[in-house]
């Protein structure tokens, strides 16, 4: 009988779980793979989690994923929950701009307006800002493959005012893809053409229980495929010994033929510092921003949410502590709480750690004051919960693509080693799933070649 190959996945976030799913998939004719996921924390899912708000769960971080990057929808379908996917009931985002809440131009994708008419109607930017944005339609095509900052790209195509008021440090690869595929950003980011039925394709989707349901379903399916899921198992050291990888955990040594490091880059840097110092220094150089979320349950009558509105965004130039507010009850009515309206306020972004350094009480006090000002709330919330996400959002600075290419090149020279996750090639859930699965295929290819020798 053929003996199994051992693969360890370090990190039980969505990237690691997706890698494990790919590794444990049907392997027609190849050596079976025994997969172990080693997760440092007490729960699987990493940055996808739920919190208790007044006795009921709320999404602690992600509440949906973008539909046009297909990997999350595809995974839901493979797991048999594709039919359950739901689109938000409210999709219109407002913006706190120039002293009041205004409608974000329709057709805005990732902070970039796609039609001048709606941008003008929104009054979010000044007349001069509007005139500058219109130049995007006539500026020459931009098909360079250099890695320039999103800010520089938006500045160049649409002008600084659009970036300051609309572009939300969008780190998604869609922006860059649109730049290369279309002459104009305005045209390239328009939602997909309507289907013949007339139904627009939703931009975002989620499962009825939020992204946490995807994690739960995936973990159940992984267990069904024989994957060992270990929590409270932080990997403290990785070394190569006698042709195999040895991973030290507080519970003992785990030995594997291949390893997927599905970790934030700064953790991977620590683990690889001794063996791969150059890669470790590149890994360490990827900066991450911290965010804090305060989720409030208000008596329903206390908050008046305009119909169809999902929330509002607060550009940095406004100088407020809050960066965004999501009307969770309006967005996801299927998760309704009778008599209550749930509102989530985000704070913190790159270069602004004020929220992270405030205690819960002061943070809630200040965010409530800003919320009351924007929405005219006079009542107190029934419940509030604060979630802190230190170093959660990687910053894809200029040179990121080259840096990641260097890291991957060094890592790929190590037998059966791969890195994947939000720090590298896309922050969104679909991008993480795609990266996890690709890393798994890379190590499977390595194992197949090694087996021929
Ligand atoms: C507040 C917030 C809101 C978000 N909203 C959205 C959204 O609406 N839509 C969307 O698509 N994306 C959203 N994201 C982004 C998305 O959730 C993340 O990018 C994604 O979940 C990251 O997955 P990951 O597996 O790469 O990393 P992580 O989830 O960070 O997983 C890495 C795992 O490694 C573990 N680990 C660390 N060190 C060790 C060690 N030494 N040994 C073993 N394990 C270790 C960690 O505990 C963690 O579980 C949001 C993120 C945040 C923080």
């Amino acid at each position: 009988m053929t003996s199994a190959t051992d693969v360890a996945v370090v990190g039980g976030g969505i990237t690691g779980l997706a890698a494990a799913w790919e590794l444990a998939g049907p392997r027609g004719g190849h050596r079976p793979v025994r997969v172990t996921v080693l997760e440092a924390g007490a729960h699987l899912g990493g940055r996808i989690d739920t919190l208790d708000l007044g006795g009921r769960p709320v999404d602690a971080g992600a509440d949906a994923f973008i539909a046009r990057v297909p990997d999350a929808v595809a995974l839901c379908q493979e797991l048999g929950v594709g039919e359950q996917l739901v689109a938000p009931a409210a999709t219109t985002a407002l913006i706190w701009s120039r002293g009041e809440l205004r409608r974000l131009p329709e057709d805005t994708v990732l902070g970039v307006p796609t039609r001048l008419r709606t941008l003008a109607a929104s009054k979010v930017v000044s007349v001069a800002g509007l005139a500058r944005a219109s130049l995007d339609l006539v500026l020459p095509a931009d098909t360079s493959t250099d890695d320039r900052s999103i800010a520089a790209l938006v500045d160049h195509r649409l002008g600084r005012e659009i970036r300051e008021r609309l572009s939300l440090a969008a780190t998604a690869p869609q922006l860059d893809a649109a730049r290369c595929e279309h002459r104009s950003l305005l045209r390239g980011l328009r939602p997909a053409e309507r289907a013949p039925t007339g139904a627009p394709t939703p931009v975002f989707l989620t499962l009825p229980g939020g992204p946490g349901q995807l994690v739960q379903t995936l973990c159940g399916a992984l267990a069904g495929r024989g994957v060992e899921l270990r929590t409270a198992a932080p990997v403290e050291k990785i070394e190569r010994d006698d042709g195999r990888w040895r991973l030290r955990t507080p519970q003992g040594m785990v030995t594997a033929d291949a390893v997927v490091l599905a970790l934030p880059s700064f953790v991977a840097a620590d683990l690889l510092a001794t063996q791969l110092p150059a890669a470790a220094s590149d890994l360490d150089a990827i900066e991450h921003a911290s965010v804090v979320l305060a989720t409030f349950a208000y008596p329903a009558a206390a908050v008046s949410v305009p119909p169809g509105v999902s929330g509002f965004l607060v550009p940095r130039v406004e100088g407020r502590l809050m960066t965004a507010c999501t009307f969770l009850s309006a967005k996801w009515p299927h998760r309704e709480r009778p008599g209550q309206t749930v509102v989530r306020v985000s704070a913190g972004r790159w270069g602004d750690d004020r929220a992270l350094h405030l205690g819960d009480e002061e943070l809630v006090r200040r965010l409530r004051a800003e919320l009351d000002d924007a929405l005219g709330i006079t009542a107190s919330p029934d419940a509030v919960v604060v979630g802190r996400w230190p170093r959660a959002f990687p910053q894809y600075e200029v040179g990121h693509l080259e840096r990641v290419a260097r890291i991957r090149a060094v890592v790929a020279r190590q037998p059966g080693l791969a890195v994947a996750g939000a720090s590298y090639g896309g922050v969104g859930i679909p991008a993480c799933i795609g990266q996890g699965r690709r890393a798994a295929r890379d190590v499977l290819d390595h194992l197949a070649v090694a087996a021929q020798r």
Side-chain angles (χ1 to χ4, degrees):
M1 194 184 138
T2 336
S3 63
T5 310
D6 290 298
V7 181
V9 176
V10 187
I14 192 66
T15 305
L17 297 173
W21 178 246
E22 185 76 28
L23 288 163
R27 300 264 300 125
H30 290 276
R31 267 171 95 184
V33 175
R34 204 163 35 213
V35 186
T36 305
V37 176
L38 299 166
E39 163 55 44
H43 91 108
L44 293 159
R47 290 172 217 170
I48 299 175
D49 200 1
T50 51
L51 288 173
D52 181 289
L53 176 68
R56 294 181 63 178
V58 282
D59 294 322
D63 65 338
F65 43 78
I66 198 149
R68 73 166 77 196
V69 181
D71 304 74
V73 173
L75 181 59
C76 287
Q77 281 159 351
E78 284 171 50
L79 294 169
V81 291
E83 296 297 309
Q84 295 182 32
L85 285 168
V86 283
T91 53
T92 304
L94 304 182
I95 187 159
W96 181 269
S97 182
R98 305 194 294 144
E100 58 184 272
L101 280 180
R102 300 173 191 272
R103 284 197 174 254
L104 196 65
E106 280 170 31
D107 313 316
T108 295
V109 179
L110 302 167
V112 175
T114 57
R115 285 181 205 278
L116 292 171
R117 196 169 21 89
T118 49
L119 177 62
S122 74
K123 296 198 172 78
V124 165
V125 294
S126 64
V127 174
L130 183 67
R132 173 60 187 85
S134 67
L135 289 181
D136 172 68
L137 295 170
V138 293
L139 282 170
D142 183 3
T143 52
S144 60
T145 52
D146 66 320
D147 177 20
R148 74 160 82 159
S149 78
I150 294 295
L153 168 65
V154 177
D155 272 3
H156 168 65
R157 301 287 326 178
L158 302 160
R160 199 173 109 183
E161 200 173 336
I162 295 288
R163 170 173 55 80
E164 288 185 344
R165 302 232 161 245
L166 282 169
S167 271
L168 305 170
T171 50
Q174 289 96 316
L175 259 189
D176 215 38
R179 161 173 80 115
C180 293
E181 285 166 21
H182 299 267
R183 201 190 73 181
S184 134
L185 266 192
L186 292 171
R187 293 205 176 101
L189 288 172
R190 275 176 203 162
E193 294 301 321
R194 282 167 189 262
T197 57
T201 318
V203 175
F204 289 98
L205 287 170
T206 197
L207 286 168
Q213 186 188 341
L214 171 60
V215 169
Q216 265 176 14
T217 311
L218 181 53
C219 288
L222 287 170
R225 283 188 174 178
V227 172
E228 192 181 343
L229 298 166
R230 288 196 208 166
T231 50
V235 171
E236 297 161 339
K237 192 170 181 199
I238 298 180
E239 58 195 3
R240 187 93 184 138
D241 184 31
D242 204 15
R244 300 194 85 199
W245 293 100
R246 286 164 62 78
L247 295 86
R248 193 177 76 200
T249 74
Q251 296 80 22
M253 209 59 97
V254 174
T255 311
D257 302 288
V259 176
V260 176
L261 293 179
L263 298 164
S265 49
F266 48 88
V267 182
D270 285 348
L271 290 178
L272 298 175
T274 319
Q275 310 147 66
L276 306 174
S281 112
D282 264 331
L283 285 162
D284 228 6
I286 301 172
E287 301 280 1
H288 289 68
S290 304
V291 298
V292 179
L293 304 183
T295 309
F296 299 89
Y298 278 99
V303 188
S304 108
V305 176
V309 170
S310 60
F312 65 90
L313 305 158
V314 186
R316 190 191 289 264
V317 282
E318 295 291 337
R320 299 208 153 201
L321 190 59
M322 73 157 73
T323 54
C325 167
T326 309
F327 303 132
L328 288 176
S329 301
K331 213 172 155 187
W332 310 116
H334 65 274
R335 298 178 88 177
E336 186 197 8
R337 295 166 175 243
Q340 284 187 332
T341 292
V342 180
V343 176
R344 184 167 84 181
V345 181
S346 314
R349 57 181 130 210
W350 178 241
D352 179 4
D353 277 343
R354 287 175 296 164
L356 195 67
H357 297 129
L358 291 174
D360 282 5
E361 206 174 308
E362 177 64 4
L363 176 81
V364 167
R365 191 189 65 72
R366 289 186 50 185
L367 290 178
R368 268 190 65 193
E370 292 189 0
L371 198 57
D372 294 354
D373 183 31
L375 299 176
I377 301 174
T378 50
S380 297
D382 295 335
V384 56
V385 63
V386 173
R388 291 173 186 271
W389 297 99
R391 298 180 86 184
F393 279 99
Q395 303 299 298
Y396 296 166
E397 292 161 346
V398 173
H400 181 79
L401 297 179
E402 288 85 354
R403 180 173 282 141
V404 170
R406 279 197 303 273
I407 294 167
R408 290 199 197 281
V410 174
V411 167
R413 287 199 286 276
Q414 306 302 305
L417 186 67
V419 292
S423 300
Y424 310 100
V427 178
I429 293 169
C432 290
I433 292 171
Q435 290 181 69
R437 298 187 81 155
R438 273 192 299 281
R441 287 197 291 274
D442 287 347
V443 303
L444 287 172
D445 287 349
H446 160 81
L447 293 170
V449 171
Q452 307 285 315
R453 289 196 193 117

